Amino acid sequence: MKIPGKLSRKQVLGVMVDGTDLRLAHLGWENGEIVIHSLETIVLPAHLGKIGKGIAQHGVSDEVEDNDIFGLEDLEDKEEPFDDEVQKDQDLSGTIINVFTKYPLNNTKIAVNIPGGQATYYSFESDFGVKKKKLRQRLIDEIIPLAGGTLDTATIDYFRTDSDGLMVTVSEGNIPIIEELIDVKNYLAGGQPYFCGVNSNEMALVNLVRLSLDPPEDKITSVVHIGNDFSRVIIMKGGEPISFIQLLREGYQSPQICQTLFSKILLEQEEAGIPEIDQIVLSGEIGMTRAVEFFEKQFPDADVRSITPGPLDTSMLKSEEIAVFSNYAIPVSLAWEALDKKNKKFLDIELMPNAIKDAQKTFKIAWHGFALLGIIFLGMVLLSYQGFNRLGRIDMLEESISMKKTSLASLEPQYIYINQLQNQIEINKNNLDFIDAIIVDPDKWSRLFGLLSEEFKRVNKIWIDRIQSTEYGFTLIGKASSRHKIPMLSAAFDGAELEWANRVISENGEIAYEFQLNAMMPQPPPEAPPEKVVINDRALTAG
């Protein structure tokens, strides 16, 4: 393993624990690209989380034989297992310290995996019409009956599928590698660890397939991982996982591991109605099991390949490290996701326990508290300065408004007087228009009333209620004792139009006909030519 001498500050160490195998992938941003700096495998002296329980748990056995109720018989023989476990605990802690001391943890964050078997997956067809905290609580309520217990200590996260459904990941149990690193953090020469991400093995594999291979939407992909203590198959449609086949608690050392995984795939195809598999992506210890040759034989029509680093820069790796890249697929994916959080191709799942998040927040505040207080103080000074400036400007504006209000109050009588003048002007204008209308033909009403008087001699039993001037003549509204008298009256006017005629019955039971008549004003008679007078044989015009 080669540790670069000078690193940028954007570094992540992906850590995967599988049984006694500890695999690390060191990635970082260099010149606008994500570079794999190193890949490393360490065999731990014991399984994490199974030793180091302390004297109270390992000093005296809980089971005591009947012939020695005080548990004192053969005490020397019973101390040997305790000594062995203490020694293993010390060896394990020493190994962890030696491994992580080589990395500059002051500039490098850590992303870890969840131990195999601690992650469970649930799918839902919709989000139940709720969001955020309400959605998370609804998911917990839906999952508790399925899980057969409480989820008080579980970590839950979800992502939305292409079909607007939800895929939920539930993590239950502690994460031994995090606990071990926290225990030895004061002994790490490179700095104290800072955890930036926690994800499951399965989701890490899915993300790496999405980013390195980008499978088409209609293609069925089977992701097969063969590990040390566990193996798993994930079925994907395009870039979306549709089935997580039950975890196998056996690894590459099992002689029938490939055959068992093949059987699991066939069973899942039959039970879930999954169509033919187009592609098989292999990761883990595929070289130790000859998995490529096996699955090429079992799926002759499928594209069988080992997982690849995709666009990641592998120029700093040796050829033998690139050859076994599939062993480091999970830690590489964990580190890649932590470095490239804005990449939308990653299915965003975060399973870090809240206790770790809270502890790291406290840790950061303790280190940066004084700087934060300084920033807050400067911010308050700046805000106060801006506030005083704005307060002075507000006072000036309020004084200006007050002066303008006073000016408006003094102008109020003039405004009222102007309104009165405008009203008077409007009245005079209307009067002038009326006078102009009269002056145009001053005799028209006389001619109209004269004509009506003559017609009333001929047409009797007809009453006029209202006569109104119009643009083209006049409108006459009246009442007649019989209907035939109306057209008799209208015949006397040029351009007469009967607008309406209604039959009405009075309170005394008499029948009458109301009507409205539109007609043109009677035209004045043509002027007679002037009379000629002859005087002394000369014609003169009279008048």
Side-chain angles (χ1 to χ4, degrees):
M1 182 197 69
K2 181 181 178 182
I3 301 296
K6 185 178 181 181
L7 299 173
S8 69
R9 296 185 63 83
K10 296 181 180 179
Q11 306 289 320
V12 174
L13 187 63
V15 179
M16 182 193 76
V17 179
D18 180 12
T20 57
D21 283 354
L22 175 64
R23 302 189 189 276
L24 301 100
H26 188 194
L27 280 68
W29 281 102
E30 301 292 340
N31 299 321
E33 292 183 338
I34 297 179
V35 179
I36 303 178
H37 291 301
S38 64
L39 302 174
E40 183 180 10
T41 298
I42 303 297
V43 179
L44 301 174
H47 285 75
L48 284 170
K50 293 187 178 180
I51 60 174
K53 301 300 183 181
I55 297 176
Q57 292 181 333
H58 294 291
V60 180
S61 173
D62 292 335
E63 298 180 1
V64 181
E65 296 182 4
D66 295 337
N67 57 356
D68 187 3
I69 61 174
F70 296 102
L72 300 177
E73 186 177 344
D74 298 330
L75 184 59
E76 295 180 358
D77 295 336
K78 295 182 180 181
E79 289 179 352
E80 291 182 359
F82 170 72
D83 292 338
D84 290 342
E85 293 204 4
V86 170
Q87 184 62 41
K88 289 181 180 179
D89 196 357
Q90 293 175 351
D91 293 343
L92 182 59
S93 298
T95 302
I96 296 295
I97 293 172
N98 291 334
V99 171
F100 285 88
T101 296
K102 295 182 290 185
Y103 295 93
L105 297 185
N106 282 333
N107 297 329
T108 306
K109 299 177 182 180
I110 300 175
V112 304
N113 74 317
I114 296 172
Q118 288 188 195
T120 312
Y121 303 92
Y122 302 90
S123 61
F124 297 93
E125 295 181 355
S126 69
D127 59 3
F128 308 101
V130 293
K131 297 180 179 179
K132 297 183 179 179
K133 291 184 178 180
K134 291 184 179 180
L135 175 57
R136 187 173 294 273
Q137 185 58 48
R138 178 62 183 272
L139 292 174
I140 292 174
D141 295 339
E142 294 288 334
I143 292 173
I144 285 177
L146 303 176
T150 62
L151 300 178
D152 296 338
T153 59
T155 305
I156 299 175
D157 203 358
Y158 61 89
F159 66 88
R160 296 184 182 274
T161 63
D162 294 338
S163 57
D164 295 331
L166 297 177
M167 180 67 74
V168 185
T169 305
V170 179
S171 172
E172 297 182 88
N174 59 349
I175 304 175
I177 185 61
I178 293 182
E179 295 180 349
E180 187 66 32
L181 286 172
I182 292 175
D183 288 341
V184 302
K185 65 182 181 181
N186 295 326
Y187 302 98
L188 300 175
Q192 297 193 358
Y194 181 81
F195 302 99
C196 62
V198 176
N199 210 338
S200 65
N201 301 314
E202 294 77 16
M203 292 308 302
L205 290 171
V206 168
N207 281 330
L208 188 56
V209 170
R210 285 169 62 92
L211 272 78
S212 63
L213 300 179
D214 192 18
E217 294 183 0
D218 58 344
K219 179 175 288 189
I220 301 297
T221 302
S222 176
V223 183
V224 179
H225 179 80
I226 303 174
N228 184 10
D229 276 9
F230 79 96
S231 299
R232 191 103 197 215
V233 177
I234 307 161
I235 305 297
M236 300 175 61
K237 183 177 182 181
E240 182 179 306
I242 59 175
S243 178
F244 296 91
I245 299 178
Q246 184 179 8
L247 181 73
L248 292 178
R249 295 197 176 275
E250 54 183 291
Y252 67 92
Q253 297 178 1
S254 174
Q256 299 296 324
I257 183 62
C258 289
Q259 184 63 44
T260 304
L261 292 171
F262 172 64
S263 301
K264 290 285 186 180
I265 295 173
L266 295 182
L267 181 61
E268 185 69 14
Q269 279 187 282
E270 182 178 352
E271 291 184 349
I274 297 173
E276 291 297 324
I277 294 175
D278 302 300
Q279 181 176 240
I280 295 179
V281 180
L282 302 173
S283 70
E285 297 284 357
I286 58 178
M288 303 290 290
T289 57
R290 302 181 65 86
V292 175
E293 294 85 349
F294 176 84
F295 284 101
E296 283 180 345
K297 181 179 179 181
Q298 300 299 332
F299 295 94
D301 297 330
D303 179 15
V304 180
R305 63 173 71 183
S306 60
I307 202 163
T308 66
L312 298 179
D313 187 350
T314 58
S315 59
M316 299 185 66
L317 299 181
K318 300 177 182 179
S319 58
E320 54 267 26
E321 290 177 320
I322 297 176
V324 293
F325 173 80
S326 61
N327 293 349
Y328 300 92
I330 292 175
V332 167
S333 178
L334 293 171
W336 189 357
E337 181 181 3
L339 282 170
D340 200 7
K341 284 290 188 182
K342 294 183 179 180
N343 195 328
K344 298 298 183 181
K345 287 188 177 181
F346 282 107
L347 296 178
D348 188 15
I349 292 290
E350 179 53 63
L351 299 175
M352 185 179 296
N354 291 328
I356 304 299
K357 293 181 181 178
D358 296 339
Q360 293 190 142
K361 288 179 182 178
T362 304
F363 177 72
K364 291 182 68 175
I365 292 172
W367 274 92
H368 305 290
F370 290 106
L372 181 62
L373 287 175
I375 294 172
I376 292 174
F377 177 77
L378 292 175
M380 291 179 63
V381 171
L382 179 61
L383 290 174
S384 299
Y385 176 76
Q386 293 179 348
F388 284 125
N389 286 340
R390 292 184 179 180
L391 184 61
R393 188 176 179 184
I394 290 172
D395 291 338
M396 292 176 59
L397 292 174
E398 287 180 347
E399 184 178 356
S400 175
I401 291 172
S402 178
M403 294 176 62
K404 290 179 179 179
K405 286 182 177 179
T406 303
S407 299
L408 286 174
S410 64
L411 295 174
E412 187 69 19
Q414 287 83 351
Y415 177 75
I416 296 174
Y417 182 68
I418 289 172
N419 285 337
Q420 291 176 350
L421 290 177
Q422 289 178 342
N423 293 334
Q424 188 62 42
I425 290 171
E426 188 68 24
I427 293 172
N428 293 337
K429 182 180 178 182
N430 293 334
N431 291 336
L432 287 174
D433 292 339
F434 176 75
I435 292 172
D436 289 340
I438 295 176
I439 292 175
V440 170
D441 189 2
D443 297 328
K444 63 181 181 180
W445 295 107
S446 299
R447 294 196 302 273
L448 176 61
F449 292 141
L451 181 60
L452 285 174
S453 299
E454 292 295 327
E455 288 299 315
F456 288 159
K457 295 178 181 178
R458 184 175 62 87
V459 183
N460 57 3
K461 292 187 179 181
I462 192 166
W463 300 268
I464 304 301
D465 295 329
R466 186 172 60 179
I467 299 176
Q468 181 177 344
S469 176
T470 64
E471 182 178 359
Y472 301 103
F474 68 96
T475 296
L476 186 149
I477 300 174
K479 187 185 301 181
S481 60
S482 60
R483 189 180 184 88
H484 72 276
K485 294 182 180 294
I486 298 173
M488 291 174 61
L489 177 64
S490 63
F493 301 99
D494 294 335
E497 292 181 359
L498 183 63
E499 188 73 21
W500 51 265
N502 297 326
R503 180 186 179 192
V504 295
I505 300 176
S506 66
E507 294 180 357
N508 298 329
E510 297 178 354
I511 298 175
Y513 293 87
E514 295 180 346
F515 66 94
Q516 176 177 324
L517 182 68
N518 299 327
M520 297 176 62
M521 282 289 184
Q523 298 298 318
E527 295 182 359
E531 297 180 357
K532 295 181 179 180
V533 179
V534 178
I535 301 177
N536 298 327
D537 299 327
R538 292 184 179 179
L540 298 177
T541 302

